[in-house]
Amino acid sequence: MKKSIMTLGILLSTTSFIFAQEKQSTGTVKDTVQSKNKTKDIEEVVIIAYGTQKKGEVTGSVGRVSAESFKDRPIARVDQALTGQIAGVKTRSTTGKPGEALEIRVRGTASISANNSPLYVIDGIVADDMANISPDDVQSIEVLKDAASTAMYGSRGSNGIVIVTTKKGVSGKPSFTFSQYYGVQTIEKKLDIMNSAEWIDYATEAINKRWVALAPGNSASDSYAVRANYYNLPNTTDYNLANINTMIDPRWGTNQVAYIDWQDAFYRPAAIQNYQLSVRGGSSNVKYAISAAYFDQEGMALNTGFNRFNLSAVVDVNISSKWKAGIALRPSYAQSYGATVDGKDNEAHKMLSMVPVAELGAGLYTNFWNNIRYRWAGSTVSPIGTLENTTNNTNEFRMLSSLYMSYDILPDLNFKISGAATNNFNINNGYTPTFNLVTNIPGQVSIASRRTVNYNRYLGEALLNYKKTFGSHTITALAGYSAENYRTTSQYNRNKGFANDDLKTFNFTQSASVLNSEYTASEWMLTSLFGRLNYDYQKKYMLFASIRRDGSSRFGWDNLYGNFAAFGGAWKVDKEDFLKDQNWLSNLKLRYSWGENGNNAIGDYRAFGTLAGGNYSFGNNLSNGLVPNTIENKNLTWEKTQSSDFGFELGLFNRIDFSADYYIKKTNDLLLQEPIASASGYTTAWRNVGSVENRGLELELSTKNLTGQFKWNTSANIAFNNNKVLQLGNNNKPIYTGFSSLTNIIQVGEELNSFYLYEAIGILSTADINNAGVAKTTGAIAGDVKYKDFNGDGKIDENDRHIIGSPTPDYYWGFTNTFSYKGFDLSVFFQGQKGGYSYALLGRAIDRPGMGTTTNVMGNWANRWRSDADPGDGKTPRLDGTTGGLLDTRWLYDASYIQLKNVTLGYNFPQELVSKLKISNLRLYVSLENVWRKDNYYGGYNPESVQSDGTDYGAYPNAKVYMMGLNFNF
């Protein structure tokens, strides 16, 4: 932390030096400053809960991203615009799959079993995400971080609020805007897996060892014919009878077999493109904004991709001097397609495991259709053939609609009523044909599936706003009522066995067998009363208080309601008489806030005992019935987060703006799916137990380094967060989580989901095996992994697992520089994190001794232990070791990284030229996304591609994007 704060201090000093240099060349400080508008930043308006405030009046911690900062970036979703832009807002690209959302965390992880994602609000309307908003329609994004800012959303404010404000109509003639970009994506990095020569060497060693151990007199130099004779096999060129455990393919190293780089075949350069046309205009009484956008992103993995079509229509009407109304319609249609690439046992995992050798006639389509599998390979079907022939299409139609009407009861009193609906219809069609036609006929084992999901959310709100100024005193009050209803229905069918593979859609009643046939429905409601009071004296002293009462149907009947209050204040020190005439000081503000938020982000009906289908035996017959499947908890109630925030803001010379926030965030009554004794008939139960604390520091700095004809601006942010479990249920008994509950632990006094592993410290030598004083696992041999004897009992067993770090980074940061000269501008954006760990389950899945030689392995196995005289890299064991089943630190990686996220170079054509083309402006730019990354992550594609517990089982890799764009108005 000290080093990072020092870095910001150096930047601040550098900026001061730059300013001093300009002073020498352009005149006095007073002359320079007085030419600026001192109140410019103070008058900036930011969006808050249920309203707006001038920036100088904000008492809470609010981060803001304007559309200007991401207008030239190839982003598919609005959430991508937040990366590295706001201190305390951590985004992670957990998958590079086209169209997928980022994971967003505001001020750390506060819950164990409940959702940790922020609440999304689009133009005042609560939404599930930002998927159906085109980035080009966004005016600004505000993130409410502290309880003072989020408490007005009560039950859902504990994880922060992301508020999206879209572009609105303006008075005047219609103004058309067209924007377009086209780019090419390439894989950000390839994994280091063995090439064909390395795998052949690896397989040869393993096969020879087994052959030599098979019988006395066997030698590693024995030919294929000698080994075939041992098994009484014919010595022919038909190798399908060969014993692959002890017989080497004599064609290795010749041109009689195909050598394959599966990653090069699996991932391709892919196109990405976007087009948007919008029009804004209106009169003094009617204003409108209408847009249409099309986004298309091919996936780098074959036959995968995503496309989306957006429409948006927003109309605001001044009916009279007192009445106003408005309506917004935002339909969108999106399609994603392609076999599942990322995750355990899915196509990327299979591809990386493929042996890089195949029969010449089969090549990339080994073990596919009529091609037999390569004898020395596993039974995995060609992932190339699977990608090209699997149907997995998801079509989603969304409609976000809202309307409002407001009435000015008095000049200072306004009543507003609004309603909104979110309607989603999602349908997924899947078809997996019969790939193996050597032993099957078309359609014989084919699987067809169909899932439809209908999701509907309805919201009604009534707001009463009052604002009055009495001399130096200003009072603003808000009272409101809100009611929401959510309902989801889902139907799923999955059948196996069809007459052929010619069609992709079948009558499910004519399949050979039914695998799944189910229908589900769920519903929940939320009702709320809320109020807020703000007091402002002379624009110097600001106080506020708010309260909200929420009732959620997700909790027990006696605990439906929760009360959430907040208060805070701010002091504008620069407005005091002893400072107000100081031209060098443009802002000095101190802030404090405290508040409590809730969290009800768990599944429906968790507080109630529910039933599931089951069979009963009556005599010799089975009868359908119902059996209990969840345990009731009438006392289940709100998870509550109390948060304090101490804020400091400083502005100098209208060119330097610095802010710092220190927060303490404690979550109590955790909504925890807690393990319980199986004798109860259940394995887990939802309860309110335990607490978690997050403490952090957030620093933001923006500077105008040069302001002449050549301009240079800088913005930087850094956030530190410390996470600790304070209490758990069952007498603080630890909870084991992660992969098979073997990689992570939740334990009092430690960070959430800390890694709980065996610690690998090297490789056992023959001397270690013979030394009784060296701790080792039972049956260990020379060349096995050497582990730390954590408890010092002289042996390696379960008791030697211990905590080694956590997924939470020490700090994360963003750093942007923008330059402009005449019509040219350049933006360079870096971001990254320091600390935290990622556990590469994908790497482990293709990186274990004792797996045999029918799959490929990580490239580090080329430097494996072969003997005491040839120990390799000192970390990779022998290929036939005994410790492959243990989950240890060999696959635990430092998740620190530095990334050059974006570089954009643009040119705005001169107005004289543009006017001749009958347009108002013309801009051409090139942009590079994910340009460069420095990390230590060897076992996976991306150190961000992890679940909440820090484990990565193979995510779709991120893409480097090279693109060109064009914008113009007319």
Side-chain angles (χ1 to χ4, degrees):
M1 180 182 292
K2 290 181 179 178
K3 185 181 293 185
S4 300
I5 295 175
M6 185 181 299
T7 302
L8 286 174
I10 293 172
L11 180 59
L12 185 61
S13 300
T14 304
T15 304
S16 299
F17 170 76
I18 293 171
F19 180 78
Q21 295 299 303
E22 184 170 292
K23 169 190 169 183
Q24 294 176 11
S25 60
T26 61
T28 66
V29 174
K30 183 176 180 180
D31 290 339
T32 304
V33 172
Q34 285 184 341
S35 67
K36 308 293 182 182
N37 179 3
K38 184 179 179 181
T39 61
K40 179 181 178 182
D41 288 340
I42 296 177
E43 296 302 316
E44 181 183 349
V45 174
V46 297
I47 310 300
I48 61 171
Y50 298 103
T52 62
Q53 272 188 321
K54 293 179 179 179
K55 184 177 179 181
E57 299 171 358
V58 173
T59 55
S61 181
V62 180
R64 187 173 191 271
V65 177
S66 69
E68 188 70 18
S69 66
F70 59 86
K71 64 181 178 65
D72 293 341
R73 290 180 55 196
I75 61 176
R77 297 171 54 101
V78 177
D79 47 17
Q80 293 173 284
L82 292 172
T83 299
Q85 299 299 310
I86 300 175
V89 180
K90 179 75 172 74
T91 66
R92 287 196 313 191
S93 177
T94 58
T95 175
K97 182 180 178 182
E100 288 296 297
L102 299 185
E103 178 191 270
I104 299 176
R105 294 291 179 265
V106 178
R107 292 187 168 180
T109 300
S111 186
I112 296 177
S113 297
N115 196 310
N116 282 285
S117 297
L119 179 71
Y120 299 99
V121 179
I122 300 172
D123 288 338
I125 305 302
V126 173
D128 296 302
D129 53 37
M130 300 178 283
N132 66 329
I133 300 296
S134 169
D136 283 340
D137 284 333
V138 173
Q139 184 69 40
S140 68
I141 308 171
E142 270 86 4
V143 180
L144 314 185
K145 297 186 288 184
D146 68 324
S149 304
T150 62
M152 284 297 286
Y153 283 102
S155 62
R156 292 158 307 170
S158 60
N159 298 319
I161 312 290
V162 177
I163 299 179
V164 178
T165 304
T166 63
K167 296 172 182 176
K168 302 297 188 295
V170 294
S171 298
K173 294 181 179 180
S175 173
F176 291 86
T177 300
F178 176 78
S179 61
Q180 176 270 338
Y181 64 74
Y182 183 90
V184 176
Q185 309 161 91
T186 60
I187 187 171
E188 190 178 34
K189 87 169 185 181
K190 291 174 61 177
L191 282 194
D192 178 24
I193 56 176
M194 282 189 169
N195 60 34
S196 56
E198 292 170 332
W199 178 84
I200 288 171
D201 175 70
Y202 167 83
T204 299
E205 180 186 345
I207 291 170
N208 282 340
K209 280 190 173 185
R210 290 191 291 264
W211 169 251
V212 170
L214 182 63
N218 285 357
S219 169
S221 61
D222 288 341
S223 67
Y224 179 85
V226 170
R227 302 186 194 199
N229 183 63
Y230 178 86
Y231 291 107
N232 295 317
L233 299 175
N235 181 22
T236 68
T237 57
D238 180 4
Y239 303 106
N240 290 321
L241 298 177
N243 186 316
I244 63 172
N245 290 315
T246 55
M247 298 174 67
I248 295 170
D249 188 345
R251 298 171 295 173
W252 286 347
T254 73
N255 60 3
Q256 299 177 48
V257 290
Y259 305 106
I260 300 172
D261 185 322
W262 285 102
Q263 289 187 93
D264 282 352
F266 194 86
Y267 297 115
R268 59 176 177 177
I272 182 172
Q273 55 190 315
N274 185 77
Y275 306 88
Q276 173 145 339
L277 178 64
S278 60
V279 57
R280 301 167 68 193
S283 64
S284 58
N285 292 324
V286 179
K287 299 180 180 66
Y288 58 87
I290 302 171
S291 68
Y294 175 72
F295 174 82
D296 182 66
Q297 182 180 13
E298 291 182 346
M300 293 179 296
L302 292 171
N303 197 33
T304 64
F306 171 83
N307 55 68
R308 182 187 63 230
F309 181 73
N310 292 84
L311 285 174
S312 176
V314 181
V315 179
D316 295 284
V317 180
N318 295 328
I319 300 173
S320 69
S321 60
K322 292 189 175 184
W323 286 95
K324 295 180 182 179
I327 186 170
L329 299 174
R330 294 191 174 90
S332 68
Y333 174 79
Q335 180 186 48
S336 60
Y337 56 92
T340 304
V341 172
D342 43 0
K344 184 180 186 300
D345 297 329
N346 287 321
E347 297 312 311
H349 180 183
K350 293 176 182 178
M351 174 270 296
L352 293 167
S353 302
M354 293 293 287
V355 166
V357 181
E359 297 291 348
L360 277 177
L364 295 173
Y365 298 94
T366 182
N367 199 27
F368 189 80
W369 292 151
N370 291 307
N371 295 318
I372 61 173
R373 73 182 177 95
Y374 179 58
R375 181 64 176 167
W376 280 264
S379 59
T380 303
V381 171
S382 164
I384 304 300
T386 300
L387 285 181
E388 291 178 343
N389 292 277
T390 296
T391 298
N392 181 30
N393 296 335
T394 299
N395 300 285
E396 184 173 35
F397 175 79
R398 293 182 174 216
M399 171 64 84
L400 178 61
S401 54
S402 62
L403 56 87
Y404 75 88
M405 184 169 287
S406 71
Y407 176 68
D408 293 331
I409 302 172
L410 297 170
D412 303 312
L413 183 64
N414 173 266
F415 176 71
K416 179 180 178 182
I417 187 169
S418 60
T422 302
N423 306 103
N424 295 355
F425 177 72
N426 181 297
I427 182 169
N428 173 269
N429 287 308
Y431 188 77
T432 304
T434 300
F435 293 135
N436 185 345
L437 299 183
V438 176
T439 58
N440 300 295
I441 61 174
Q444 184 175 355
V445 294
S446 301
I447 294 177
S449 64
R450 180 181 177 90
R451 183 188 297 275
T452 60
V453 179
N454 282 292
Y455 171 77
N456 299 285
R457 170 192 291 209
Y458 300 100
L459 167 69
E461 286 182 344
L463 302 176
L464 194 63
N465 279 284
Y466 176 77
K467 184 173 183 179
K468 185 70 174 179
T469 299
F470 308 90
S472 299
H473 309 271
T474 299
I475 294 176
T476 305
L478 168 71
Y481 171 78
S482 174
E484 299 175 58
N485 175 269
Y486 306 75
R487 180 172 173 81
T488 302
T489 59
S490 173
Q491 185 169 351
Y492 180 54
N493 297 93
R494 182 169 170 263
N495 288 30
K496 180 178 180 181
F498 296 92
N500 56 57
D501 282 327
D502 294 335
L503 301 176
K504 304 302 181 184
T505 304
F506 288 89
N507 184 338
F508 283 93
T509 62
Q510 297 179 0
S511 66
S513 60
V514 177
L515 302 179
N516 300 86
S517 181
E518 58 192 52
Y519 175 85
T520 60
S522 63
E523 185 174 15
W524 71 283
M525 296 184 66
L526 183 76
T527 60
S528 311
L529 288 169
F530 48 90
R532 178 175 62 207
L533 180 66
N534 291 73
Y535 170 73
D536 183 315
Y537 177 65
Q538 292 186 340
K539 304 296 182 182
K540 290 191 295 187
Y541 313 109
M542 289 149 280
L543 299 172
F544 94 97
S546 69
I547 189 167
R548 179 165 175 142
R549 179 173 174 81
D550 281 331
S552 172
S553 63
R554 283 176 165 166
F555 297 122
W557 295 120
D558 298 330
N559 294 287
L560 294 176
Y561 290 92
N563 300 315
F564 308 98
F567 63 86
W571 175 25
K572 285 282 294 176
V573 184
D574 62 300
K575 293 289 187 179
E576 295 292 348
D577 292 340
F578 60 88
L579 286 176
K580 68 179 183 179
D581 293 327
Q582 301 298 320
N583 290 318
W584 56 270
L585 184 65
S586 51
N587 182 31
L588 178 58
K589 183 165 72 171
L590 302 177
R591 296 183 276 104
Y592 171 75
S593 66
W594 177 94
E596 184 175 58
N597 300 108
N599 192 345
N600 70 340
I602 57 175
D604 300 333
Y605 315 120
R606 295 298 189 257
F608 309 101
T610 58
L611 302 174
N615 294 324
Y616 290 83
S617 176
F618 291 96
N620 294 323
N621 299 315
L622 287 177
S623 299
N624 294 329
L626 296 172
V627 295
N629 73 326
T630 60
I631 192 170
E632 182 181 34
N633 181 1
K634 295 180 179 179
N635 296 316
L636 192 69
T637 189
W638 300 89
E639 183 176 279
K640 300 180 180 68
T641 297
Q642 296 181 352
S643 178
S644 296
D645 184 277
F646 304 85
F648 169 78
E649 298 176 14
L650 176 67
L652 300 173
F653 311 112
N654 273 311
R655 296 179 59 174
I656 301 172
D657 288 292
F658 173 77
S659 67
D661 281 87
Y662 177 77
Y663 61 88
I664 303 171
K665 180 178 172 182
K666 184 178 180 182
T667 304
N668 299 308
D669 295 328
L670 291 172
L671 288 165
L672 179 65
Q673 193 171 12
E674 184 182 30
I676 60 175
S678 58
S680 66
Y682 307 93
T683 57
T684 61
W686 281 90
R687 293 177 177 171
N688 292 102
V689 290
S691 63
V692 171
E693 182 182 76
N694 284 275
R695 291 174 178 256
L697 175 65
E698 300 166 355
L699 306 173
E700 292 191 346
L701 175 69
S702 63
T703 62
K704 299 174 182 177
N705 306 322
L706 295 175
T707 59
Q709 191 174 30
F710 178 77
K711 297 180 177 62
W712 171 25
N713 295 336
T714 297
S715 64
N717 67 81
I718 188 169
F720 306 83
N721 184 75
N722 180 262
N723 175 283
K724 183 187 292 185
V725 178
L726 302 179
Q727 183 184 358
L728 290 172
N730 285 342
N731 299 316
N732 289 327
K733 183 179 178 181
I735 299 172
Y736 299 96
T737 62
F739 178 65
S740 298
S741 298
L742 292 173
T743 56
N744 301 76
I745 189 171
I746 299 174
Q747 180 172 302
V748 171
E750 303 292 340
E751 293 187 84
L752 273 174
N753 290 307
S754 293
F755 289 105
Y756 189 65
L757 303 162
Y758 293 92
E759 184 176 356
I761 58 175
I763 302 298
L764 290 167
S765 66
T766 302
D768 290 330
I769 295 297
N770 296 328
N771 185 350
V774 176
K776 39 194 169 286
T777 58
T778 302
I781 57 178
D784 273 343
V785 179
K786 187 175 185 178
Y787 294 107
K788 182 176 182 178
D789 184 12
F790 186 72
N791 65 350
D793 64 358
K795 60 182 178 180
I796 301 299
D797 57 21
E798 172 68 21
N799 298 316
D800 292 302
R801 292 170 66 201
H802 60 283
I803 292 174
I804 309 175
S806 81
T808 306
D810 299 328
Y811 60 86
Y812 46 94
W813 53 272
F815 184 64
T816 304
N817 282 280
T818 57
F819 310 88
S820 62
Y821 178 72
K822 295 186 176 179
F824 290 94
D825 56 82
L826 173 68
S827 172
V828 182
F829 169 37
F830 285 88
Q831 58 101 207
Q833 69 179 40
K834 177 67 172 67
Y837 290 91
S838 297
Y839 198 77
L841 287 169
L842 173 67
R844 178 182 181 272
I846 55 174
D847 186 25
R848 287 179 293 151
M851 292 175 59
T853 57
T854 59
T855 62
N856 205 356
V857 292
M858 298 293 289
N860 59 286
W861 282 89
N863 295 316
R864 61 191 174 275
W865 188 95
R866 299 171 191 257
S867 66
D868 288 334
D870 186 7
D873 60 13
K875 298 180 292 184
T876 306
R878 62 189 295 155
L879 54 77
D880 54 349
T882 66
T883 54
L886 299 182
L887 287 141
D888 61 46
T889 56
R890 279 177 293 156
W891 303 285
L892 186 68
Y893 297 94
D894 182 354
S896 302
Y897 70 88
I898 298 174
Q899 183 176 35
L900 177 52
K901 185 68 175 177
N902 179 266
V903 176
T904 298
L905 175 64
Y907 179 69
N908 295 291
F909 286 83
Q911 195 61 41
E912 310 86 71
L913 173 62
V914 169
S915 59
K916 293 179 181 178
L917 299 175
K918 305 301 182 182
I919 58 179
S920 57
N921 64 66
L922 176 63
R923 175 174 171 78
L924 181 69
Y925 64 92
V926 292
S927 182
L928 309 179
E929 189 83 0
N930 298 327
V931 183
W932 169 84
R933 182 197 294 267
K934 172 65 176 176
D935 62 50
N936 304 303
Y937 195 44
Y938 181 73
Y941 285 111
N942 178 4
E944 295 184 283
S945 300
V946 294
Q947 305 305 311
S948 58
D949 57 16
T951 59
D952 170 22
Y953 220 129
Y956 201 115
N958 282 349
K960 289 183 180 180
V961 184
Y962 309 84
M963 73 160 211
M964 177 176 288
L966 176 71
N967 301 331
F968 61 87
N969 291 359
F970 60 94

